[in-house]
Amino acid sequence: MMADRTRCGLLAALLIAATGTAHAEVLDINLSGDTARLAISGPLSRVINSANGEYDVGGLFGDDDRDDNIVAVHAGALLTGDAGARQANVTAGLGARLQYINGDRDDGGALELGGRVEVRVPGYERIGFSAYAWYGPEPASFGDVEDVFEYAAALDYQLLRDASLYVGYRKLSVDVDRPRDLEEDGVHGGIRLNF
């Protein structure tokens, strides 16, 4: 338990330190009944010179659906851009990320492929919909993890141009080497702050 808190504290300190020099980064914080998720994303060119896209680092902390402790941290990159919808503001991204998962009795992770999409309602640009999905199959997994599937969808409202409130649904499913898998799902609410 103490090791989990130490990991959570270290991740939070790294994310806060990263925002100290950030410009055009997004801090995303959401809470559900059992978990908290914290992530920061920004231009990939800050990490890799002249790269086009977006980086994303973050973590989910709390209890899964069976009250086992779960810590899931990730780091990844997406190639992002306009999705080409003529009448709507639609951006999308495809990429890869590495996710490490630590439960009460299991730990491991996977290299995951996936993406995200964000849609702004034409004429009502303050209202938006976003979704993401990531999948790491058994050949790309390590440790006790056999495969990982995570997806989420959210409806948001830009209260300010640089601050949004949202409500959404998330499911994280982790198949492990024992009969009892790790799962976390449910409704969450959060904020996104642009720096």
Side-chain angles (χ1 to χ4, degrees):
M1 184 68 168
M2 187 59 157
D4 288 340
R5 288 186 183 151
T6 302
R7 284 187 200 117
C8 293
L10 287 173
L11 178 63
L14 287 172
L15 291 174
I16 290 168
T19 61
T21 59
H23 301 283
E25 268 71 14
V26 177
L27 179 64
D28 185 329
I29 303 168
N30 66 60
L31 304 170
S32 72
D34 295 321
T35 60
R37 184 175 187 273
L38 173 69
I40 187 167
S41 60
L44 191 56
S45 61
R46 298 217 192 286
V47 181
I48 302 169
N49 287 338
S50 71
N52 185 20
E54 181 179 295
Y55 73 86
D56 177 39
V57 295
L60 179 134
F61 316 95
D63 296 329
D64 74 352
D65 292 345
R66 296 179 185 95
D67 290 328
D68 287 337
N69 289 322
I70 187 169
V71 175
V73 294
H74 70 270
L78 293 164
L79 180 61
T80 58
D82 180 10
R86 290 184 182 197
Q87 300 300 319
N89 181 3
V90 180
T91 58
L94 292 173
R97 74 178 188 178
L98 184 63
Q99 182 161 222
Y100 173 77
I101 297 129
N102 183 300
D104 282 341
R105 293 173 291 279
D106 304 292
D107 70 325
L111 176 62
E112 303 169 350
L113 299 178
R116 69 165 178 80
V117 64
E118 182 175 341
V119 179
R120 290 275 160 225
V121 177
Y124 302 94
E125 284 77 19
R126 288 187 180 250
I127 299 171
F129 170 79
S130 60
Y132 69 81
W134 295 96
Y135 178 64
E138 189 169 356
S141 67
F142 58 90
D144 297 324
V145 172
E146 292 181 355
D147 67 28
V148 180
F149 184 49
E150 180 178 357
Y151 62 89
L155 184 63
D156 72 75
Y157 177 74
Q158 284 183 335
L159 188 61
L160 306 169
R161 288 291 175 199
D162 291 328
S164 298
L165 301 170
Y166 65 91
V167 63
Y169 175 83
R170 172 184 52 246
K171 179 165 184 150
L172 171 62
S173 179
V174 183
D175 291 336
V176 294
D177 290 337
R178 62 184 174 95
R180 195 169 162 189
D181 295 333
L182 297 170
E183 285 202 4
E184 188 279 325
D185 69 333
V187 174
H188 60 272
I191 59 172
R192 282 189 201 101
L193 305 174
N194 299 324
F195 294 95

